[in-house]
Amino acid sequence: MEKSEKNNSVEYGDWWTSPAESESGRLIMVTGRRDVDKFMNNPRFKIRVEATWKFESDSSGMPNRATSELMEEADSYLRETFRKDPVAVLTGVYTGDGERNWVFYTLSLNIFGRKFNEALSSMELLPITLQAEEDPDWLEYKEMKEASEIKSED
């Protein structure tokens, strides 16, 4: 895996960020991961889990500074936990229009839930909800990646 220094923390994976627009016309920053082939080609990683944190937003739909910093702390814990124990792979992060969504693909909801809670155990209780469904063809990931490629051509 590639390593790059970012804000004094180690970032793993090959990521891109692109602006997008919500259905309501507000800005959403989409961050996606490129290096997921080994997970995508493993038929056991067929469950998509979306972790959603709804927040009070400013007029642009983005979080205030304190919420943003808390989200970044949670993000770091999640990335590090699943890097160490890859029972799930984080494939995308969407921030804007009053919410942050982390999208994972996993092989087990039970194990994912334990690891997710473990990752955030040192933080205060956060307003995060989880939703899961089978996505063996990784359709959500492919749609996100395709949308980013179209956006980058503009």
Side-chain angles (χ1 to χ4, degrees):
M1 274 192 211
E2 288 184 21
K3 289 184 184 180
S4 63
E5 292 296 324
K6 185 177 180 184
N7 299 333
N8 297 324
S9 67
V10 179
E11 183 86 17
Y12 290 87
D14 182 10
W15 296 84
W16 51 264
T17 299
S18 177
E21 193 173 287
S22 71
E23 290 179 12
S24 65
R26 294 170 114 182
L27 172 68
I28 295 182
M29 294 306 295
V30 179
T31 301
R33 185 169 176 173
R34 288 187 186 94
D35 60 337
V36 298
D37 289 344
K38 74 178 180 180
F39 298 99
M40 194 182 326
N41 294 330
N42 182 337
R44 294 176 60 206
F45 284 83
K46 64 181 180 181
I47 304 166
R48 184 180 72 245
V49 179
E50 293 185 28
T52 301
W53 177 338
K54 293 186 184 283
F55 56 84
E56 291 291 322
S57 65
D58 63 17
S59 61
S60 70
M62 293 297 172
N64 63 34
R65 177 179 288 256
T67 302
S68 179
E69 288 173 357
L70 201 54
M71 287 178 175
E72 291 310 309
E73 183 180 355
D75 191 85
S76 292
Y77 287 135
L78 290 167
R79 289 177 193 237
E80 182 63 15
T81 296
F82 289 106
R83 182 192 66 78
K84 286 180 180 176
D85 191 359
V87 298
V89 60
L90 177 62
T91 60
V93 181
Y94 301 79
T95 306
D97 204 15
E99 61 185 46
R100 158 127 346 150
N101 293 291
W102 288 274
V103 179
F104 296 86
Y105 282 84
T106 186
L107 46 86
S108 166
L109 286 177
N110 190 22
I111 298 170
F112 174 83
R114 277 199 321 263
K115 283 294 174 186
F116 189 88
N117 287 330
E118 177 185 306
L120 302 177
S121 65
S122 66
M123 299 183 74
E124 64 186 58
L125 185 60
L126 300 172
I128 296 174
T129 58
L130 299 174
Q131 178 181 336
E133 66 183 25
E134 287 203 10
D135 185 5
D137 296 323
W138 287 53
L139 297 176
E140 189 280 339
Y141 175 79
K142 290 173 183 174
E143 183 179 301
M144 174 190 62
K145 189 173 178 190
E146 183 178 298
S148 75
E149 290 168 354
I150 290 169
K151 193 80 167 165
S152 66
E153 291 173 4
D154 291 344

